[in-house]
Amino acid sequence: MKSRKLLMIVNPRAGKNKSRSPLFNAAAALSQAGYLLSIHLTSAPGDAAETAWREGGRYDAVVAVGGDGTLNEVVSGLVRLRRPPLLGYLPQGSTNDFAASLHISSDPVEAAAAIARNVPRLLDVGFWNGRSFLYVASFGAFTRTSYAAPQNAKNALGHFAYILEGMKDLSTLRPYRVRLTADGETLDGEYLFGAVCNSTSIGGLMKLDPERVVLDDGLFEILLVPSPKTAADLQSLVHALLNQQYDSQGLVFRHVSSIHLETEEDLPWSLDGEYAPSAPAVDIENHRQALTMLL
């Protein structure tokens, strides 16, 4: 039987305070499952994407080891390949939103065991003005939090680091005027927050009902939080968000395949927790079942 080749792309900075012993055990488990392992340690931003693109085609599987940002980079490299290899993920970050959606264990040995079982699952991939993302593209309130929280704070405090960083944004909480067309429907208004996602968790701060999120159906879930006019409106919005009542209190929740957004505002974005600069026009497309993941 021909041995399968597997490339582990490891971000050594992610989860820096965690013990490395489980990673060695995870590598051993994959080796015992019949994989010939190669390990690449990233050295700079963009290295994971470049390595996945340059080397990924030589392997049967590529495993991202790090946080959601590392996974995003690996995906961005793999989707450039004509025939991308299977994708695996050993989450080592501080929030690991996408891993939570897929019920991937934060224990590297358990996650490696799942990869070794070789059960494939198709996944949609999003493209934001041509730049890929796997689970969320967001703007507005708390979006800055996902990429601005310092890495040492993420390592030390985990999910709480995002909340602390998000609190700094409260004083500058402001609406953004956008005009958005999604599958033929036009929405024109002021919004505090917007997310185009393929996940049950957004920034570790908001949750979507797993029964309403299908990861390979060619559709995104879009959530828009309108700017409240009164204190009572704000209270109602907060209540709706906390209780996942996304069809009430003025919230906009849709299942769509593509989005075109225009704005005259300075509107930075976050793609899987990574910064994306403001653009006057943004096109977001869903490439259905673009990757296959081992779970």
Side-chain angles (χ1 to χ4, degrees):
M1 179 178 175
K2 183 181 177 182
S3 295
R4 295 168 295 172
K5 296 197 300 181
L6 183 148
L7 173 62
M8 293 178 69
I9 299 178
V10 182
N11 178 1
R13 295 192 64 215
K16 203 168 183 179
N17 291 342
K18 296 180 179 179
S19 169
R20 294 301 179 193
S21 296
L23 287 181
F24 290 112
N25 294 334
L30 291 169
S31 179
Q32 291 168 3
Y35 281 106
L36 291 177
L37 264 62
S38 296
I39 298 175
H40 175 85
L41 299 181
T42 62
S43 58
D47 187 8
E50 178 68 20
T51 301
W53 171 67
R54 187 182 64 248
E55 304 290 342
R58 304 175 188 175
Y59 291 86
D60 299 290
V62 174
V63 176
V65 184
D68 287 340
T70 305
L71 179 63
N72 172 274
E73 279 204 28
V74 170
V75 166
S76 71
L78 294 183
V79 294
R80 295 169 63 188
L81 298 172
R82 187 169 63 90
R83 292 183 178 177
L86 298 168
L87 172 67
Y89 186 27
L90 302 184
Q92 288 288 287
S94 47
T95 299
N96 304 317
D97 276 325
F98 197 65
S101 291
L102 293 173
H103 306 290
I104 299 174
S105 174
S106 59
D107 180 335
V109 178
E110 291 185 15
I115 292 171
R117 285 194 289 270
N118 202 39
V119 178
R121 178 167 182 177
L122 293 168
L123 294 177
D124 298 341
V125 175
F127 283 81
W128 179 98
N129 279 2
R131 177 174 165 182
S132 65
F133 65 94
L134 191 56
Y135 73 93
V136 65
S138 63
F139 68 83
F142 301 115
T143 292
R144 175 182 171 275
T145 301
S146 60
Y147 56 78
Q151 185 64 50
N152 60 352
K154 294 180 185 179
N155 290 339
L157 300 174
H159 172 69
F160 190 55
Y162 288 87
I163 297 175
L164 290 176
E165 191 68 27
M167 290 174 66
K168 299 178 183 178
D169 284 344
L170 290 177
S171 61
T172 59
L173 197 63
R174 48 157 293 192
Y176 294 88
R177 183 85 189 188
V178 302
R179 179 180 175 84
L180 183 148
T181 302
D183 288 359
E185 178 185 10
T186 298
L187 300 165
D188 191 341
E190 294 187 333
Y191 301 96
L192 294 179
F193 174 81
V196 180
C197 57
N198 196 36
S199 171
T200 59
S201 179
I202 304 173
L205 298 171
M206 297 181 188
K207 303 293 183 182
L208 298 180
D209 184 349
E211 293 186 0
R212 303 186 68 174
V213 178
V214 181
L215 302 182
D216 64 350
D217 62 352
L219 299 176
F220 296 116
E221 283 64 51
I222 181 172
L223 174 65
L224 298 173
V225 180
S227 177
K229 304 301 182 185
T230 67
D233 288 343
L234 177 59
Q235 185 175 5
S236 295
L237 283 174
V238 171
H239 181 270
L241 290 170
L242 290 176
N243 291 279
Q244 301 180 22
Q245 298 172 349
Y246 299 124
D247 295 316
S248 64
Q249 306 302 331
L251 296 173
V252 176
F253 184 80
R254 303 283 192 274
H255 303 279
V256 299
S257 61
S258 64
I259 296 98
H260 176 78
L261 182 147
E262 296 178 358
T263 183
E264 297 180 1
E265 308 259 8
D266 180 16
L267 185 66
W269 289 71
S270 173
L271 307 182
D272 294 347
E274 301 299 305
Y275 171 77
S278 178
V282 169
D283 286 292
I284 301 176
E285 298 178 347
N286 185 306
H287 289 207
R288 187 179 185 187
Q289 302 178 359
L291 289 177
T292 303
M293 195 165 194
L294 293 174
L295 297 172

